[in-house]
Amino acid sequence: MAWASFRRHRKRVLATALLALAALLHAAGLWSLPQLHRLDEALYDARLRLTMPRGLDERVVIIDVDEPSLARIGQWPWSRARVADLVRELTGRQQVAALGLDVVFAERDGSSGLAQLQALARGELSGDAAFGDWLRRATPRLDYDHVLADTLRGAPVALGYYFSSDRNARRSGTLPPAMAPLAPVPPGMLNWDGYGGNIAPLAAAAPRAGFFNAVADPDGMLRAAPLVAAFEGGLYESLSLAMLRIGLGQPPLRTERAGGQPDAPLAAVVLGAGAGQLRVPVDARGTALVPYRGRGGPRGGSYRYISAVDVLQGRLAPAELKGRYVLLGFTTPSLMDLRATPVDEVYPGVEVHANLISGMLDGRIVARPDYAAGYEVALLALLGLVLAVGLPMLPVSGALALGAAVAAGLLALDAALYLGAGLVLPLASALALTLTALAINMALGYFVESRAKRELAQQFATYVPPELVRQMVRNPERYSMQARAEELTVMFCDLHGFTTLSETMEPQTLQALLNDVLTRLSHVIRAHQGTIDKYMGDCVMAFWGAPVPMTDHARRAIDAALAMIDAMRQLNDERLARGEPPVAVGIGINTGVVSVGNMGSDLRRAYTVVGDAVNLAARLQDLTRLYGVDLVATQATVEHSAAGGHVWQELDRVRVRGRHQAVAIYTVRAAEGAADAALQAELAEWQQILSLWRAGRFAECRLRLALLQRRQPDSRLLALYAERLGTRPDRVADRDWDGTTVFDAK
């Protein structure tokens, strides 16, 4: 009976067994499945967010060099004398437990009086060198570096520095002495060969220093940060660890290796000895998982932020920060050290140190044990046996119940180990095996038959309108992501004056405006069945004719461009009603042969177009400002969109950078049938002016242009040609003259 059941369900049993084998190979490190790594990271992020303590930790405070501080004190870097005032206030009047400076003083203070005197003595400034030497000896307090060094000496301060690793092993500044030798360096430990340290007087005066390097995961997320690192056989501590040791009275630090073996990887960092020791788990690299408390930033609610100017002006009560761990950090956009974290995509780097200090004080730092791989292999072997035997033999309801029970059991076990023992163990492979095996056993035939349609829809859903995706799904064999040469129409649309706007608008207001503009433009592109290639800041790139072929791709692109211009007019009407300045876009369109397909790297790919025709479209978008029009298109686009009936005006014949062949460029003056007699007469006159310009008959050209300018005094195009004519002779002297304008700049 059992054998007969196996034979009847052997395909499902074998499929489940193969899934289990793949998961085991992944767990054993013999076959890496990046999707499972990413899923494990996502599950870890979910655990972290669900279990964060949130709430304010008053033990750690961040002194914020924010916009009010910069407005009051001046732009960073401040003079060392000002920094000394800040340090003196915090370590003296405020009596902080430890102060960490998340900044490197890599060069001498050029703003100090001594720096000016030294320049005087070197003859770089006019004056009496002997007087400068005398004044330097008489007024040592003019050396702001000396002032800061005196302030740091004996104070509970940890300076920041960083390690680096490159071919040249660059080294600058002064590195603090190693805490202890590493003999040998543990395998897998971060081992750097360069550094950027503080100038010698400050490094010698500060009692402690720590590196503030961050090590992001392959997806760019900062989940762990190094607590210790190796350099030239010595052990160095991080800024957060240095601050914690200062606050705890400088307990000795030692490293603990896996299994207690001298040549084994790192397992923990231990502060102190005996019953009061503090053990912090780390991985083989020397990194610890950052125990984020909650959202970041001054409004995140995890740590108290105090404006640096409030500290400098003495607005805090005496000893208000007594016993606190204080970090000097930056939140102003021009200086802010931002990180992508599981908590926030934009997270202040200084809070990484704050979270590590808070987590070490509370013992909240969880660990990935060295036996994690063995645990995963054993779990998958047991799970594979249960699923391969149970799922194929059960009816639909029984299989669903078994799958749900196994998944719930895995989640419960993982939660117990995480919350109860502080262990981060692999979960993705076991969970994925369970759910995948259940899905295959429940609907193997369905997945095989419809796989092509689902994959096609998933691949193109983010690029093309839904109606085109539905059309493609009906015949999936006709479409693929494989690169091929096709004649398409490419559009670049850019928001004019974005740089100026970004300098005058608040970030949130600028973000809202940019999102509004791109949303409106994207809706228009999709309504005209265009494929959105990418967003590049304030620019959107799109194309027509792929992945679904279109014989009228040029006409659709032009119609979309006109609709986009109209959408911007509607937006400006709304903005003017609110008393806000208008915004404008410039659109460049070209039709030609391009390479279209899925392109990129092993880490990230995109369905996109490349080629000379694409580059030309991008150049044309830049020319809209010069010619004073919203749209610039090539002659190829004009010819391919002839059926649209648009009324065109030729602007120029240009040769752009990277192309040897000149191309005629045009703009749309009216839709089909909308050209009245006045416009037709104007365009005919303009064409005569262009003919005279290209023939080199400048006197006649100048006369006709002046007459047309009287009727259109505000035309940027006419003014441009008037500037070009300038003081040219009546006729061209160059036989090779053809009126082509050359643009050498990018």
Side-chain angles (χ1 to χ4, degrees), residues 12-13 15-17 19-20 383-384 386-408 410 429-447:
R12 295 167 63 185
V13 172
T16 307
L19 286 173
L383 193 60
V386 171
L387 295 175
V389 173
L391 288 178
M393 310 302 174
L394 293 171
V396 173
S397 57
L400 286 172
L402 176 62
V406 170
L410 289 172
S429 57
L431 204 57
L433 173 59
T434 301
L435 299 178
T436 306
L438 177 63
I440 285 181
N441 278 273
M442 294 298 298
L444 181 60
Y446 168 78
F447 282 113

Side-chain angles (χ1 to χ4, degrees), residues 116-171:
Q116 302 298 319
L117 292 176
Q118 289 172 335
L120 182 69
R122 291 193 298 268
E124 296 174 5
L125 300 175
S126 60
D128 190 338
F131 172 73
D133 290 338
W134 173 82
L135 188 58
R136 179 180 59 189
R137 292 191 300 271
T139 57
R141 300 301 292 180
L142 287 176
D143 183 351
Y144 292 167
D145 291 319
H146 179 77
V147 171
L148 179 56
D150 280 350
T151 305
L152 293 175
R153 195 168 285 111
V157 179
L159 287 181
Y161 64 93
Y162 63 89
F163 283 118
S164 62
S165 182
D166 56 37
R167 270 183 280 177
N168 299 321
R170 294 186 181 89
R171 304 179 182 189

Side-chain angles (χ1 to χ4, degrees), residues 47-55 291-295 343 364 418:
R47 293 188 200 101
L48 177 64
R49 289 191 294 267
L50 289 172
T51 59
M52 290 188 302
R54 294 179 174 82
Y292 294 102
R293 289 189 63 84
R295 301 292 298 273
V343 177
R364 288 190 298 108
Y418 183 77

Side-chain angles (χ1 to χ4, degrees), residues 37-54 217 219 221-223 289-290 292-294 341-344 366 368 411 414-415 418-419 423-425 427-428 431:
H37 289 301
R38 290 195 290 270
L39 179 57
D40 251 328
E41 291 168 348
L43 290 171
Y44 170 78
D45 296 346
R47 293 188 200 101
L48 177 64
R49 289 191 294 267
L50 289 172
T51 59
M52 290 188 302
R54 294 179 174 82
D217 288 338
D219 63 352
M221 289 289 180
L222 183 61
R223 297 181 177 88
L289 291 166
V290 181
Y292 294 102
R293 289 189 63 84
T341 71
V343 177
D344 272 326
V366 296
R368 287 192 176 103
L411 292 173
D414 183 78
Y418 183 77
L419 297 174
L423 297 177
V424 178
L425 291 165
L427 176 62
L431 204 57

Side-chain angles (χ1 to χ4, degrees), residues 1 13 35 78 82 110 118 129 170 219 314 446 453 522 548 550 656 702 734:
M1 183 70 175
V13 172
Q35 298 86 348
W78 294 340
R82 184 72 68 183
Q118 289 172 335
R170 294 186 181 89
D219 63 352
Y446 168 78
K453 294 183 179 181
S522 300
V548 176
M550 301 172 182
V656 299
R702 191 179 294 112
D734 185 0

